[in-house]
Amino acid sequence: MSPPVAPPGWSRWLVPPAALSVHLSIGQAYAWSVFKPPLESALGLTGTQSALPFQLAIVMLGLSAAFGGTLVERNGPRWAMTVALVCFSSGFLISALGAATEQYWLIVLGYGFVGGIGLGIGYISPVSTLIKWFPDRPGMATGIAIMGFGGGALIASPWSAQMLESFGADPSGIALAFLVHGLAYAVFMTLGVLLVRVPRAAEPAAGAGTGAPRGVQVSARSAVRTPQFWCLWVVLCMNVTAGIGILEKAAPMITDFFADTSTPVSVTAAAGFVALLSAANMAGRIGWSSSSDLIGRKNVYRVYLGVGALMYALIALFGDSSKPLFVLCALVILSFYGGGFATIPAYLKDLFGTYQVGAIHGRLLTAWSTAGVLGPLIVNWIADRQEEAGRHGASLYTLSLFIMIGLLAVGFVANELVRPVHARHHHVPAPREAADAAPAQPQQPESA
């Protein structure tokens, strides 16, 4: 499947909606916490066990992005979006079978393994294409698309909750909800497959301006040998670990925090809280990533990591005494969490150029795989142990929150260590060499 080249006069503003159709779909992953309580009740699972499909999905996201990044660069965004569609939708269908037969391992296999591959390929599918269409505003461009991944739960959370209420929270009801998800997302993602285009060869993207700098170019193989890559790996891993553990358990967490107060949180309100977090996640991806075009990537990561640690401290110390404070701090944290994801492709582009930025981004997402295990494991394991010790309410999470503060501090230091890439790693391919390296990507512009 060759990349569809844009005809003359094609508007580059049609590309972000194509990316959004995929990212809004796979962003359903952030609504997994809505399924946790029904699965635990219907199949007799612990909190740690019910988090396993989500954890495996994030692991597979990073691994498939890392190993598939070069294929995405070579075969183009339409091929990648098609693979993502097939895997992500199939994962739901397998999970539906697992719920219907009460075979939890099928849910783990479907949602976690198969669907996780769809997550990884779908996540990176539009990144390099968008950067090539918008070389003048890479932070904004990637933020628009990756905003969809953060905002997917804004749709999926209330939608899933409503389906579980209508179909029932028993195994058959959960199975039907999974089935509807798989079919609906297949239709929606098809829109992106049909709409996406790549720039014409040797042409700057229309409207991109004429003054964008060429900058350095570093191959994916060389990038992973630089200290800059690994500093950013630590930055992303720490930021994601500190956020994803909370996000994955958002619905039961807010319920536990205020269970012993005069204003407990209902199941419906908890699902609404998940949707609200998704909105902050989504807004942060476009807002903070666009801001990074103005204030710089390193500065905006200082905000994510430094102010984020302060927000966690406020929740740990005062969160259970004030519901508005808890919600406000969580919203700020999730805006930073989402902004970190949306800003990282532009940070990579600044350091390594556009030559193989999609493949480099894919390799960096192994940090997300690591964080996808660490974050939920820390929060769920500690909560389970605290519950066994007879504790309840906010005390289930206090230790986890302080651990997250420490992780953000580590990420802050790693960000401070980022420096420009040494000249020995630079590689500017000749036109023939670039064509041989990526035969399906003739759209790589030399300048904007």
Side-chain angles (χ1 to χ4, degrees), residues 158-178:
W159 183 40
S160 300
Q162 183 59 49
M163 277 194 287
L164 290 170
E165 182 177 342
S166 301
F167 301 151
D170 58 350
S172 62
I174 296 172
L176 188 53
F178 282 150

Side-chain angles (χ1 to χ4, degrees), residues 258-403:
F258 299 98
D260 299 328
T261 69
S262 59
T263 56
V265 177
S266 66
V267 174
T268 302
F273 175 65
V274 174
L276 195 60
L277 290 181
S278 178
N281 191 349
M282 180 173 61
R285 290 174 187 241
I286 181 62
W288 289 113
S289 62
S290 296
S291 298
S292 76
D293 288 333
L294 301 176
I295 67 175
R297 322 301 174 197
K298 177 175 283 192
N299 285 333
V300 83
Y301 270 96
R302 286 169 173 152
V303 174
Y304 299 156
L305 300 162
V307 180
L310 175 62
M311 294 297 102
Y312 274 106
L314 290 175
I315 291 178
L317 297 174
F318 310 110
D320 60 340
S321 62
S322 172
K323 192 178 296 182
L325 177 66
F326 179 94
V327 173
L328 178 62
C329 290
L331 292 178
V332 173
I333 289 168
L334 264 294
S335 78
F336 293 160
Y337 171 78
F341 278 118
T343 309
I344 205 70
Y347 210 161
L348 292 172
K349 179 259 183 187
D350 292 347
L351 290 171
F352 303 111
T354 61
Y355 174 43
Q356 291 186 336
V357 68
I360 297 170
H361 184 221
R363 286 160 171 78
L364 192 76
L365 289 182
T366 54
W368 194 354
S369 294
T370 304
V373 173
L374 289 179
L377 182 62
I378 290 170
V379 174
N380 285 288
W381 187 84
I382 291 177
D384 288 344
R385 300 292 81 75
Q386 298 286 63
E387 188 174 12
E388 290 173 1
R391 296 182 177 87
H392 54 84
S395 60
L396 296 175
Y397 306 100
T398 303
L399 177 58
S400 299
L401 293 172
F402 281 111
I403 290 174

Side-chain angles (χ1 to χ4, degrees), residues 38-39 41-44 95-103 107 164 167-178:
L39 284 170
S41 176
L43 301 180
S95 297
L97 177 63
T101 59
E102 300 186 32
Q103 297 293 318
I107 299 177
L164 290 170
F167 301 151
D170 58 350
S172 62
I174 296 172
L176 188 53
F178 282 150

